[in-house]
Amino acid sequence: MTGRAGVDTPDHRGRTGLHLAGRELDRNPGVRIRDVELTSQGWHVLRRTTFDYRRRDGRWETQQRETYDRGNGAVVLPYDSERGCVLLTRQFRYPAYVNDHPDGMLVEAAAGLLDADDPHTAIRRESAEELGVVLGPLTPVLDAYMSPGSVTERLHFFAAPYTPADRTGAGGGLEEDGEDIEVLEMPFTDALAMAHDGRITDGKTILLLQWAALYGPFSPQRKSPAFAAGEECRTSPVRGAGPGPA
């Protein structure tokens, strides 16, 4: 026993064996895992892995990669096709703020980590907490690795209908988790314009808005009569109290 937290003694979340993740991988015969080091563990885990990689010309070389493991997540675009509305959030994102975003306040689709839940359960949980809405049937849109060079997370994308009657709470997230989310209900056309002109810079949100315009509820072949006639959502932004880390 070495007494290393997260390795052979529990860390602050009760985890052990964090240095073992990836050691058993053998699905790719061109990759041989040699060592996995635990370099940092907070709420999430940073590892440095050493492996042998066979290049396309057949030569083997030893490489190292760091991976940030935060678990998998889910994201949803709630839409009201009759009124032409979508529900989004606005919250402070320090990583964006420190990397040249003017104020770090990003407009995003509601999202969250799965934790112990399946994607469908997790995104309904996040929608209730962040948006104060009970979603209709979930439509799976796609799964994507959003930053595969360093982050292990796979994100499950959904869309779901809602109506004004489904707005059952103020949303805003959980204050005990440090969340402080503003809930935005806006015309889909405004949201799409924001994605095009740079006011929305969050990748997962841009993907969902583009999907909704090309293939989803606001595509030309699926626009409702009210939306096609220009009777769009005119609701002012709704302020919640309370963003969760996505």
Side-chain angles (χ1 to χ4, degrees):
M1 295 286 288
T2 64
R4 293 173 296 173
V7 175
D8 43 36
T9 61
D11 68 358
H12 67 289
R13 294 182 64 186
R15 301 172 296 189
T16 58
L18 295 178
H19 65 305
L20 301 177
R23 288 182 182 268
E24 78 290 350
L25 291 176
D26 60 3
R27 296 189 299 271
N28 186 338
V31 178
R32 299 170 180 166
I33 307 298
R34 298 179 60 171
D35 190 29
V36 180
E37 306 168 72
L38 182 65
T39 61
S40 176
Q41 78 274 14
W43 193 254
H44 309 308
V45 181
L46 184 66
R47 299 180 178 90
R48 181 186 297 113
T49 299
T50 304
F51 57 92
D52 295 329
Y53 175 75
R54 185 169 58 197
R55 301 178 62 87
R56 288 179 297 162
D57 62 10
R59 290 181 296 119
W60 286 88
E61 68 180 19
T62 301
Q63 298 185 359
Q64 281 191 333
R65 293 290 185 271
E66 288 188 345
T67 56
Y68 184 57
D69 183 357
R70 61 194 304 271
N72 294 326
V75 59
V76 69
L77 180 69
Y79 62 87
D80 181 337
S81 56
E82 292 301 316
R83 295 188 300 134
C85 301
V86 291
L87 279 179
L88 299 173
T89 69
R90 180 158 46 214
Q91 55 188 293
F92 178 68
R93 296 298 201 185
Y94 179 76
Y97 185 46
V98 78
N99 192 25
D100 292 335
H101 190 277
D103 59 8
M105 303 299 295
L106 266 62
V107 176
E108 305 178 36
L113 296 177
L114 303 186
D115 296 324
D117 291 328
D118 63 84
H120 290 73
T121 301
I123 202 56
R124 289 190 179 280
R125 178 195 71 219
E126 293 297 325
S127 297
E129 292 176 358
E130 294 193 1
L131 299 171
V133 67
V134 177
L135 298 174
L138 291 169
T139 297
V141 174
L142 57 90
D143 289 356
Y145 296 94
M146 299 300 290
S147 187
S150 58
V151 182
T152 62
E153 180 184 19
R154 183 173 66 175
L155 193 58
H156 303 272
F157 288 71
F158 296 97
Y162 77 96
T163 68
D166 297 323
R167 301 286 303 280
T168 59
L174 301 179
E175 185 174 351
E176 59 267 31
D177 289 344
E179 299 178 340
D180 183 28
I181 298 172
E182 181 181 2
V183 182
L184 304 176
E185 183 176 57
M186 66 176 64
F188 171 74
T189 51
D190 288 359
L192 190 62
M194 293 170 68
H196 288 166
D197 66 22
R199 286 175 291 165
I200 291 179
T201 56
D202 174 67
K204 62 184 182 293
T205 306
I206 294 170
L207 278 173
L208 280 171
L209 292 172
Q210 295 284 5
W211 170 84
L214 293 173
Y215 309 109
F218 302 110
S219 62
Q221 63 270 30
R222 293 182 59 185
K223 283 182 180 177
S224 70
F227 184 79
E231 298 177 12
E232 302 176 17
C233 167
R234 298 300 179 192
T235 307
S236 299
V238 178
R239 294 184 177 271

